[in-house]
Amino acid sequence: MSIEIANESGVTVDEPSIVAAARFALDRMGVSPLAELSVLLVELDVMADLHQRWMDLPGPTDVMAFPMDELDSARRPDATGLGPALLGDIVLCPEFAKDQAKKAGHSLLDELHLLTVHGVLHLLGYDHAEPAEEREMFTLQNRILGDFRTATAEAERKSAQREADSKLLGAVGLEDSDESGRPDPGA
């Protein structure tokens, strides 16, 4: 899966983590690993211009999704049997998201993960204009985010454990180990 990210927002963010959230959401939705996606982080004035131009709404917003026209609009991109596709673009505005993160009581990165998953779902044809659509989309969004947080925490726990194991092995003179962390008998 090809995910390109460009940060033109002037706000320093953990770009690999945003890509990881997008990849996780696409994987969870069964999107082809050959799919392509771009994520663009922009300043407030750029987002306000896009919001006005494409949604005819004043001022900036947090996230916009621009599906590619070449997708077969009769089928959602997460439908099985769909081959490679250019999914489209997700545009995020970290400066706008900062206030939302503060109001929600979580970090900017958590908010950007949420907005990234939200954008992915929009690219896949989900919407929240009607109450039933909103329930479906937000339930799915929350499930994906919860699973992403769990998977991320588990990966961090395993990495910390590997590091601790490596230090312990080094302390007892067994610093030569194979990739599994077990002493390498050929060393």
Side-chain angles (χ1 to χ4, degrees), residues 2-9 11 13-23 36-42 88-92 94 109 112-113 116:
S2 173
I3 301 174
E4 306 252 341
I5 187 165
N7 188 350
E8 300 173 2
S9 70
V11 177
V13 298
D14 183 354
E15 294 167 21
S17 182
I18 293 170
V19 169
R23 178 168 283 118
E36 296 178 20
L37 167 70
S38 74
V39 180
L40 178 62
L41 289 80
V42 299
D89 304 316
I90 297 172
V91 182
L92 303 171
L109 187 58
L112 292 172
H113 288 157
T116 299

Side-chain angles (χ1 to χ4, degrees), residues 164-177 181-183:
D165 290 349
S166 180
K167 285 181 183 177
L168 178 62
L169 290 172
V172 296
L174 297 172
E175 56 271 326
D176 291 327
S177 60
R182 293 184 300 267

Side-chain angles (χ1 to χ4, degrees), residues 27-44:
D27 286 346
R28 278 296 154 108
M29 297 304 297
V31 174
S32 168
L34 301 175
E36 296 178 20
L37 167 70
S38 74
V39 180
L40 178 62
L41 289 80
V42 299
E43 296 176 333
L44 283 168

Side-chain angles (χ1 to χ4, degrees), residues 8-187:
E8 300 173 2
S9 70
V11 177
T12 302
V13 298
D14 183 354
E15 294 167 21
S17 182
I18 293 170
V19 169
R23 178 168 283 118
F24 188 89
L26 292 168
D27 286 346
R28 278 296 154 108
M29 297 304 297
V31 174
S32 168
L34 301 175
E36 296 178 20
L37 167 70
S38 74
V39 180
L40 178 62
L41 289 80
V42 299
E43 296 176 333
L44 283 168
D45 59 339
V46 173
M47 185 59 100
D49 180 55
L50 291 170
H51 201 214
Q52 181 67 50
R53 189 174 342 152
W54 294 100
M55 302 297 292
D56 201 26
L57 295 170
T61 188
D62 50 6
V63 59
M64 293 184 73
F66 297 94
M68 292 301 290
D69 292 336
E70 69 183 55
L71 282 175
D72 177 1
S73 60
R75 295 182 56 193
R76 289 193 351 195
D78 56 338
T80 58
L82 193 63
L86 295 173
L87 295 177
D89 304 316
I90 297 172
V91 182
L92 303 171
C93 185
E95 192 64 36
F96 192 92
K98 278 183 183 179
D99 289 335
Q100 291 180 167
K102 188 175 183 177
K103 288 175 187 171
H106 56 237
S107 71
L108 173 59
L109 187 58
D110 285 339
E111 186 71 14
L112 292 172
H113 288 157
L114 181 150
L115 296 173
T116 299
V117 171
H118 189 86
V120 164
L121 292 175
H122 273 306
L123 290 179
L124 298 178
Y126 289 88
D127 202 355
H128 47 85
E130 300 296 326
E133 292 175 334
E134 182 176 347
R135 274 190 304 279
E136 178 187 21
M137 183 175 179
F138 283 61
T139 297
L140 186 55
Q141 173 182 292
N142 291 338
R143 186 173 342 132
I144 292 169
L145 278 170
D147 292 349
F148 175 70
R149 288 182 187 123
T150 299
T152 300
E154 181 64 14
E156 289 170 357
R157 186 195 66 75
K158 285 182 179 181
S159 177
Q161 185 63 53
R162 279 191 300 273
E163 187 176 316
D165 290 349
S166 180
K167 285 181 183 177
L168 178 62
L169 290 172
V172 296
L174 297 172
E175 56 271 326
D176 291 327
S177 60
D178 66 13
E179 292 175 2
S180 69
R182 293 184 300 267
D184 185 354

